Amino acid sequence: MAAYIIASIEVTDPEIYAKYTAHTVRIAGEFGGEFIVRGGRVEVLEGQGRSRNVVIRFPDFAAAQAFYASPAYQAILPHALAGSTRDLIIVDGVA
């Protein structure tokens, strides 16, 4: 069953954050990840929203976890944390 990493992001320093985004597509692809949503227009219908939202589909939950834990991702993660405020979760898809 597919799993998804869902991120809700407010970029606070675009220059630092760009050092992160320059590598995420390639690294996610190494784990079978495919970006379904990457930025784009946002309309908040309920609750609190952030200006940037990302959804990455992975073949399964373990692949999503392996992506996040990988040395390549962990090497760029400090740029994301320094250049944004965000929530990041992994969820199972529907069978």
Side-chain angles (χ1 to χ4, degrees):
M1 166 181 351
Y4 300 83
I5 288 183
I6 302 173
S8 181
I9 306 156
E10 196 64 51
V11 176
T12 56
D13 188 325
E15 187 174 314
I16 293 173
Y17 196 74
K19 294 176 183 178
Y20 166 78
T21 59
H23 303 283
T24 53
V25 172
R26 175 186 52 79
I27 297 168
E30 293 173 4
F31 294 88
E34 176 187 0
F35 279 75
I36 304 302
V37 175
R38 191 173 186 205
R41 182 171 56 174
V42 174
E43 178 182 349
V44 178
L45 300 175
E46 295 182 16
Q48 298 295 314
R50 292 195 172 136
S51 63
R52 183 173 177 83
N53 296 279
V54 174
V55 178
I56 312 169
R57 179 177 52 219
F58 288 88
D60 53 39
F61 206 90
Q65 290 175 310
F67 158 74
Y68 187 84
S70 72
Y73 185 78
Q74 290 298 308
I76 64 169
L77 181 57
H79 299 300
L81 299 176
S84 70
T85 301
R86 63 194 205 147
D87 295 314
L88 192 84
I89 62 170
I90 302 173
V91 298
D92 273 328
V94 176

